Amino acid sequence: MDAEAGRGGERAEEWADVTPDAARRLLAAAVEAFAERGYHATTTRDIAGRAGMSPAALYIHYRTKEELLYRISGVGHRLALDIIGRARDGAGSAAERLADAVRAFVRWHAEHHTTARVVQYELGALAEEHHAEIVGTRRETDAAVRAIVEDGVAAGEFDVPDVPGTSLALLSLCVDVARWFREDGKRTPEEVGDLYAGLALRMVGHGGGA
Amino acid sequence: MDAEAGRGGERAEEWADVTPDAARRLLAAAVEAFAERGYHATTTRDIAGRAGMSPAALYIHYRTKEELLYRISGVGHRLALDIIGRARDGAGSAAERLADAVRAFVRWHAEHHTTARVVQYELGALAEEHHAEIVGTRRETDAAVRAIVEDGVAAGEFDVPDVPGTSLALLSLCVDVARWFREDGKRTPEEVGDLYAGLALRMVGHGGGA
């Protein structure tokens, strides 16, 4: 399998819920274009061309370039909330749930670093009402991490002087994986996830670390 | 002092070593334009306009848009190396030096978050030889953090199973402050620095935390 086919496979998985096929291909093409050139330097013509379609065909599915960014950002942010929410609601101790959350969140940011960068760095280009909606989803994700940390403090598993600040730092550490992760680097997404789960437990003062 | 004057004051401090004045104003204008619109969507005409100059006047100081990005990136990366290098070579225990490094590094990323974002997110737009030079400076900064962590392990102050991975995570945590920090947020740069210094000491297994 060549690199192109490999990227195609990753795209298909990432946007699996988006139908029809043309709408899905356009989202994947938009992510690539935004990541390479930035949102403002990308035209709908560029995106349509990458997807092998005409600009007119693009407008059947998305009215504006901003709608594409909004859809990408929505998918990315809801996925983030799903990952952390699942860990919060899971069985096990707070330490196990925090480690699960960090492992899964890091893995997603490593495996989908191109999408994650667009999602994180182009927020400012969203229209006001879309921005407000995405910020709402981010707040829910923050709250889900905080809930796990608070559970651990209440259970006496964690020792955390500043719960909101430490929760913010935990999420921030995971998100920044999208910036530095390289497929040809020394560590796999799983290895980074394991390392970070251990560091997260140290950050919350969990006795005995990972 | 209005917001515009406030930003002007910050800019002057940030690029204080750049002369003459016109070259300094152009760098500050380029940072603003790259941060707002992205490197690829910015023209040298945009930058000159923001600095109140003609495109022809810009070319007296910078041959290309890429040269502006290279200068900005160089200043930012050398400052990062200075901050961490000073902490590495400072007096005091490894724990004190790590806390100093994190405090100063976080504070810079919070106070200069616009510049830091351009420096971190537009690396891929640098010409090959400039990119290689900047990557070299980044490696020196990584090595300086690693040296402090290794000192702490050797002195028995720290307990770190994975020194390179933990050093990477420490830097990453600090760098990501530039993404989320807001002047109108709840914490000052100093408060974030103090919080992160404590978290960093936990990450390296320093007994007793901050």
Side-chain angles (χ1 to χ4, degrees), chain B residues 9-57:
Chain B
E10 194 182 300
R11 282 203 300 267
E13 177 215 324
E14 194 163 12
W15 310 108
D17 293 343
V18 180
T19 54
D21 180 61
R24 182 166 58 243
R25 279 193 291 137
L26 285 163
L27 276 194
V31 166
E32 279 189 13
F34 294 158
E36 261 181 52
R37 307 269 309 163
Y39 176 80
H40 293 290
T42 299
T43 63
T44 48
R45 180 174 290 274
D46 297 333
I47 297 167
R50 279 173 190 260
M53 293 164 60
S54 70

Side-chain angles (χ1 to χ4, degrees), chain B residues 27-115:
Chain B
L27 276 194
V31 166
E32 279 189 13
F34 294 158
E36 261 181 52
R37 307 269 309 163
Y39 176 80
H40 293 290
T42 299
T43 63
T44 48
R45 180 174 290 274
D46 297 333
I47 297 167
R50 279 173 190 260
M53 293 164 60
S54 70
L58 182 147
Y59 290 116
I60 295 172
H61 303 284
Y62 304 100
R63 272 161 308 170
T64 61
K65 181 173 72 161
E66 194 273 340
E67 191 184 339
L68 278 153
L69 180 63
Y70 168 60
R71 291 291 302 276
I72 292 162
S73 201
V75 169
H77 279 90
R78 278 189 300 274
L79 251 167
L81 178 55
D82 280 355
I83 289 169
I84 306 285
R86 239 193 329 264
R88 176 198 56 204
D89 301 334
S93 67
E96 286 164 346
R97 289 183 289 136
L98 181 63
D100 285 347
V102 167
R103 250 188 228 104
F105 206 52
V106 161
R107 211 179 127 167
W108 190 81
H109 281 84
E111 286 174 352
H112 303 278
H113 56 87
T114 308
T115 302

Side-chain angles (χ1 to χ4, degrees), chain A:
Chain A
M1 191 160 81
D2 65 18
E4 198 55 47
R7 281 209 301 279
E10 194 182 302
R11 282 202 301 265
E13 177 215 323
E14 195 162 12
W15 310 108
D17 294 342
V18 180
T19 56
D21 181 61
R24 184 166 55 245
R25 278 193 291 137
L26 284 163
L27 276 194
V31 166
E32 279 188 14
F34 294 157
E36 260 180 54
R37 305 268 310 162
Y39 176 80
H40 293 290
T42 299
T43 63
T44 50
R45 180 174 290 275
D46 296 334
I47 296 167
R50 278 172 190 260
M53 291 164 61
S54 70
L58 181 146
Y59 290 115
I60 296 172
H61 303 284
Y62 304 99
R63 272 161 307 170
T64 61
K65 182 174 72 162
E66 194 272 342
E67 192 185 337
L68 279 153
L69 180 62
Y70 168 59
R71 291 291 303 276
I72 291 162
S73 202
V75 168
H77 279 89
R78 278 190 299 275
L79 251 167
L81 178 56
D82 282 354
I83 289 169
I84 306 287
R86 240 194 327 266
R88 175 198 57 202
D89 301 334
S93 67
E96 285 163 347
R97 288 182 289 134
L98 181 63
D100 284 348
V102 167
R103 249 186 229 107
F105 206 53
V106 163
R107 211 179 127 169
W108 189 81
H109 280 84
E111 286 175 352
H112 303 279
H113 56 87
T114 308
T115 302
R117 281 182 218 165
V118 170
V119 164
Q120 296 294 344
Y121 304 159
E122 300 284 12
L123 262 192
L126 288 172
E128 205 173 319
E129 73 275 22
H130 292 161
H131 189 267
E133 184 192 316
I134 296 292
V135 166
T137 308
R138 290 170 81 93
R139 292 220 174 102
E140 286 186 70
T141 306
D142 291 351
V145 173
R146 221 159 41 233
I148 302 174
V149 175
E150 280 163 356
D151 285 353
V153 171
E157 291 179 59
F158 301 163
D159 167 29
V160 182
D162 178 348
V163 169
T166 303
S167 303
L168 171 76
L170 287 166
L171 270 176
S172 170
L173 183 65
C174 297
V175 165
D176 197 53
V177 169
R179 181 182 57 84
W180 62 259
F181 187 82
R182 299 283 175 277
E183 271 96 2
D184 57 359
K186 284 180 195 148
R187 294 161 196 271
T188 65
E190 289 72 21
E191 286 166 350
V192 180
D194 287 341
L195 169 67
Y196 274 46
L199 291 171
L201 291 177
R202 287 181 165 208
M203 289 164 78
V204 297
H206 177 63

